[in-house]
């Protein structure tokens, strides 16, 4: 039976809600490591588990593929993307080009409500680190940076950076979890970045953002035993 017009008008929104929920949960599983690189995501099994049809799951796969978190194969379906050290280096190099520009543009536009939001995120981030909650502090780290970048007014660049942060997040968690010094430095640099933003020092905030991204890149590639000859750090972008 065809649904009444009033009901039909709500169906696309309902399906989108189901797709969004599936994307959120699958992204969480990938970033937390509960599904690992190279693992296939089974459309039928997930549809049954979530209690929904295969259509929202298929749409979720396409959205996750656009974010670089899964790769779609003709015969294997969606497979969690495995990134090589070269891939990881490239992602961080892109972050190093884009994020300093975002924070430089954002600083003059940041408001007291932005600062309050960032401070709350830092407090939650510190608590997550103290509690060893890898999933939470990965999400909070990402949201902290985005909370400062949003004032830049650069929506296209912001979306690119959001995807880059999602792609590097699972690897950043590895780096943080394997080094107490890395978590201490991350907290110190996050706090210093907020102070520079409060002081209106856009160039100082841009320099610290660049240093922050490149330090994580360096530490992570060392952990992965990458070939330094092939992964030389790029020159800092011009201000």
């Amino acid at each position: 039976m065809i649904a009444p017009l009033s009901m039909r008008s709500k169906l696309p929104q309902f399906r989108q809600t189901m797709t969004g929920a599936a994307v959120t949960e699958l992204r969480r599983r990938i970033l937390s490591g509960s599904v690992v690189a190279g693992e296939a995501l089974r459309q039928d099994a997930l549809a049954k588990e979530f209690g929904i049809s295969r259509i929202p799951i298929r749409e979720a796969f396409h959205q996750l593929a656009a974010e670089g978190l899964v790769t779609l194969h003709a015969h294997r379906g969606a497979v969690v993307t495995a990134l090589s050290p070269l891939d990881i280096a490239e992602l961080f190099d892109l972050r190093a080009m884009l994020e300093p520009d975002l924070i430089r543009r954002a600083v003059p536009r940041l408001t007291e409500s932005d600062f309050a939001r960032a401070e709350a995120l830092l407090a939650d981030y510190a608590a997550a680190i103290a509690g060893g909650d890898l999933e939470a502090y990965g999400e909070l780290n990402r949201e902290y940076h985005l909370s400062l970048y949003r004032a830049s007014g650069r929506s296209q660049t912001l979306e690119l950076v959001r995807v880059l942060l999602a792609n590097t997040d699972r690897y950043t968690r590895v780096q943080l979890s394997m080094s107490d010094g890395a978590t201490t430095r991350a907290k110190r640099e996050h706090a210093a970045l907020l102070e520079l933003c409060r002081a209106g020092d856009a160039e100082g905030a841009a320099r610290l953002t660049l240093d922050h991204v490149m330090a994580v890149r360096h530490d992570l590639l060392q952990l992965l035993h990458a070939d330094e000859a092939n992964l030389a750090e790029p020159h800092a972008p011009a201000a």
Side-chain angles (χ1 to χ4, degrees):
M1 181 179 67
I2 298 175
L5 182 60
S6 60
M7 183 181 296
R8 276 182 279 160
S9 66
K10 297 177 182 178
L11 290 178
Q13 181 179 356
F14 179 60
R15 192 174 77 183
Q16 183 57 39
T17 299
M18 290 190 293
T19 299
V23 168
T24 298
E25 175 57 17
L26 292 173
R27 186 191 292 123
R28 184 196 67 78
R29 294 182 186 187
I30 293 169
L31 295 181
S32 67
S34 61
V35 289
V36 298
E39 184 174 341
L41 300 174
R42 305 299 179 188
Q43 183 174 277
D44 289 344
L46 288 167
K48 183 177 180 180
E49 178 188 349
F50 294 168
I52 58 179
S53 74
R54 290 178 296 173
I55 294 174
I57 298 295
R58 185 164 62 247
E59 292 174 347
F61 286 171
H62 282 282
Q63 185 168 331
L64 292 168
E67 295 181 7
L69 294 177
V70 304
T71 302
L72 300 178
H73 297 276
H75 301 294
R76 294 183 65 197
V79 177
V80 178
T81 304
L83 296 178
S84 70
L86 279 168
D87 293 328
I88 294 168
E90 182 178 0
L91 291 174
F92 275 93
D93 291 345
L94 288 168
R95 285 184 57 188
M97 288 190 286
L98 298 176
E99 292 183 47
D101 181 65
L102 282 179
I103 197 68
R104 184 184 292 111
R105 294 174 183 275
V107 167
R109 301 181 175 191
L110 288 167
T111 66
E112 282 303 318
S113 62
D114 294 324
F115 296 137
R117 170 66 174 158
E119 286 177 349
L121 288 166
L122 285 186
D124 290 342
Y125 178 79
I129 288 177
D133 189 343
L134 286 176
E135 183 177 336
Y137 75 62
E139 292 174 358
L140 291 164
N141 174 71
R142 186 166 69 252
E143 182 53 33
Y144 171 71
H145 286 286
L146 291 174
S147 74
L148 295 176
Y149 300 157
R150 287 191 182 99
S152 66
R154 305 282 280 190
S155 60
Q156 300 299 317
T157 307
L158 187 67
E159 179 58 21
L160 289 173
V161 167
R162 187 192 68 77
V163 171
L164 290 170
L165 286 167
N167 272 274
T168 56
D169 182 73
R170 49 186 156 155
Y171 299 97
T172 302
R173 293 185 199 195
V174 171
Q175 179 252 356
L176 289 172
S177 67
M178 295 182 69
S179 172
D180 290 336
T183 56
T184 299
R185 185 183 68 206
K187 288 191 292 184
R188 182 179 67 248
E189 291 180 353
H190 284 162
L193 179 60
L194 184 55
E195 287 306 308
L196 288 168
C197 290
R198 277 192 176 278
D201 187 351
E203 291 305 320
R207 285 193 299 272
L208 179 55
T209 297
L210 175 63
D211 291 344
H212 180 71
V213 171
M214 297 308 292
V216 177
R217 177 195 191 277
H218 176 268
D219 290 352
L220 182 56
L221 292 175
Q222 281 201 326
L223 287 173
L224 296 173
H225 307 291
D227 182 349
E228 293 297 332
N230 292 328
L231 300 173
E233 293 182 2
H235 295 297

